[in-house]
Amino acid sequence: KNEVEQSPQNLTAQEGEFITINCSYSVGISALHWLQQHPGGGIVSLFMLSSGKKKHGRLIATINIQEKHSSLHITASHPRDSAVYICAVRGADGLTFGKGTHLIIQP
Amino acid sequence: EPEVTQTPSHQVTQMGQEVILRCVPISNHLYFYWYRQILGQKVEFLVSFYNNEISEKSEIFDDQFSVERPDGSNFTLKIRSTKLEDSAMYFCASSEAGYTEETQYFGPGTRLLVL
């Protein structure tokens, strides 16, 4: 079964800082998903990646298939970015979620 | 902007009772999913549904669970005989194409509490 590890588990930063959240997995996958879970519980899909890099606004996601690793970057972070960021991978054994990274951006 | 809706937002039920959680996916989407998140734990995949049949299910999705698309708009999750450990937030999602091809759109969730 695929093991999905996210780091850090918790991250507190100041507004404007560049943020990096990491996701590693143990078994080859066909796709990786980054999700954002708001404090109220709602989930928003950010990116779906199978290779390379994607950018949307201040968010950038990269994936290295050989190293089984993905990163989510937030540039010019803002308090409204405060949320739990979840990595989910699609492999032969189905869809596996990470535990999430709890991000707090302080003004 | 189109969105996935779920009803009810909260449900409290007695152990052993049947519950039906309802979802209205985005109208032109063809793939539908249910996930759950037990309080304080990670999100878990339950089932995916396409072309009126289950395309994939996790080991959590045992015989007490069933899904149905009873009409052209609703997508339901039924739990036949609820257990205390079924207490969780249940999320529905939909996508235009299959998981590896397309972003999923999530509903706001139904918080189920089994007493």
Side-chain angles (χ1 to χ4, degrees), chain A residues 33 37 41 45 90 94 97, chain B residues 37 42-43 56 91 99 103-104:
Chain A
H33 212 161
Q37 187 166 30
S45 174
R90 171 75 167 180
F97 287 78
Chain B
Q37 186 176 32
K42 62 182 181 180
V43 177
E56 189 171 15
F91 293 100
Y99 178 75
T103 299
Q104 294 182 24

Side-chain angles (χ1 to χ4, degrees), chain A residues 30-33 35 37 40-43 45 48 86 88-90 93-99, chain B residues 35 37 41-45 48 56 59 89 91 99-108 111:
Chain A
S30 55
L32 182 144
H33 212 161
L35 306 163
Q37 187 166 30
I43 297 176
S45 174
M48 192 283 296
I86 302 169
V89 301
R90 171 75 167 180
D93 58 355
L95 189 58
T96 306
F97 287 78
K99 292 182 179 179
Chain B
Y35 301 91
Q37 186 176 32
Q41 298 188 23
K42 62 182 181 180
V43 177
E44 299 172 292
F45 168 72
S48 60
E56 189 171 15
E59 57 192 23
M89 179 76 97
F91 293 100
Y99 178 75
T100 57
E101 302 295 328
E102 191 59 65
T103 299
Q104 294 182 24
Y105 294 81
F106 285 77
R111 187 172 296 282

Side-chain angles (χ1 to χ4, degrees), chain A residues 66-107:
Chain A
Q66 286 75 28
E67 294 186 3
K68 297 185 177 64
H69 179 269
S70 175
S71 293
L72 176 69
H73 306 285
I74 305 174
T75 61
S77 59
H78 189 276
R80 65 175 174 266
D81 297 326
S82 298
V84 177
Y85 291 83
I86 302 169
C87 168
V89 301
R90 171 75 167 180
D93 58 355
L95 189 58
T96 306
F97 287 78
K99 292 182 179 179
T101 293
H102 190 187
L103 175 66
I104 297 173
I105 304 297
Q106 295 177 333

Side-chain angles (χ1 to χ4, degrees), chain A residues 43-73:
Chain A
I43 297 176
V44 174
S45 174
L46 299 176
F47 295 104
M48 192 283 296
L49 291 167
S50 53
S51 64
K53 176 179 175 179
K54 285 190 176 179
K55 184 176 189 293
H56 181 70
R58 296 181 294 105
L59 301 178
I60 303 166
T62 64
I63 188 168
N64 185 316
I65 297 293
Q66 286 75 28
E67 294 186 3
K68 297 185 177 64
H69 179 269
S70 175
S71 293
L72 176 69
H73 306 285

